[in-house]
Amino acid sequence: MRIRDAQGADLAAIRRLIGQLAEVPGDEAEFRARFERAMLAPGHRVIVAELEGEVAGVLHVFERPALEKPCEAVIQALVVDSSRRSAGVGEALMREAEAWAERRQLASTALYTRIDRDRARTFYERIGYCLKATSHLMGRPLL
């Protein structure tokens, strides 16, 4: 397994993987714009895992400053290809994100997962994460 920073050539594979996590709205150009924005944003990192020369997983992590607590790393997205799950890909990506956060001297690593994603929650607990809170998502579209 090879863990590395994502590159533009990975766009199609990453879009396919993100589609396994959630519906990917918009067309390829819109997704490319999102990808490039995340890749270029200070304090963000997009990491991929390769198995046998193919992108098998992707992780997006970013540094979140806060007023009420120390800065932390937030896992925005983690997706392992459905055919490659339970092969250590997710854990390898998480450990790389944690190492990145440690190098940046961030106090913790946090993530959000839906309460109905039992397999994901079990995975995160197995690698040392614990439930801190549940919340209701609120939002307001601007466009």
Side-chain angles (χ1 to χ4, degrees), residues 93-133:
L93 286 166
M94 289 295 293
R95 298 305 181 214
E96 178 62 25
E98 292 165 352
W100 175 85
E102 191 174 320
R103 287 191 302 273
R104 296 176 74 88
Q105 299 179 329
L106 303 178
S108 62
T109 304
L111 57 91
Y112 299 89
T113 188
R114 287 190 356 215
I115 196 125
D116 63 337
R117 288 197 168 134
D118 293 331
R119 186 171 181 189
R121 193 178 65 255
T122 299
F123 163 72
Y124 292 124
E125 289 171 351
R126 184 179 60 74
I127 65 170
Y129 286 73
C130 60
L131 180 65
K132 290 191 85 168

Side-chain angles (χ1 to χ4, degrees), residues 12-135:
I14 291 170
R15 185 169 191 244
R16 179 183 54 77
L17 288 168
I18 294 296
Q20 292 182 22
L21 175 68
E23 183 177 335
V24 181
D27 59 14
E28 186 176 333
E30 182 181 342
F31 187 80
R32 177 180 299 281
R34 290 179 186 185
F35 174 75
E36 290 172 353
R37 190 172 187 173
M39 294 281 289
L40 296 173
H44 285 247
R45 187 170 179 214
V46 180
I47 310 163
V48 297
E50 282 185 355
L51 284 174
E52 301 167 2
E54 293 184 7
V55 174
V58 61
L59 184 146
H60 174 201
V61 60
F62 68 93
E63 180 177 334
R64 177 174 61 192
L67 297 175
E68 78 283 6
K69 61 184 176 180
C71 294
E72 66 185 350
V74 176
I75 306 300
Q76 178 65 32
L78 168 62
V79 188
V80 175
D81 188 274
S82 59
S83 68
R84 301 290 192 152
R85 292 183 185 150
S86 299
V89 175
E91 185 169 357
L93 286 166
M94 289 295 293
R95 298 305 181 214
E96 178 62 25
E98 292 165 352
W100 175 85
E102 191 174 320
R103 287 191 302 273
R104 296 176 74 88
Q105 299 179 329
L106 303 178
S108 62
T109 304
L111 57 91
Y112 299 89
T113 188
R114 287 190 356 215
I115 196 125
D116 63 337
R117 288 197 168 134
D118 293 331
R119 186 171 181 189
R121 193 178 65 255
T122 299
F123 163 72
Y124 292 124
E125 289 171 351
R126 184 179 60 74
I127 65 170
Y129 286 73
C130 60
L131 180 65
K132 290 191 85 168
T134 58
S135 64

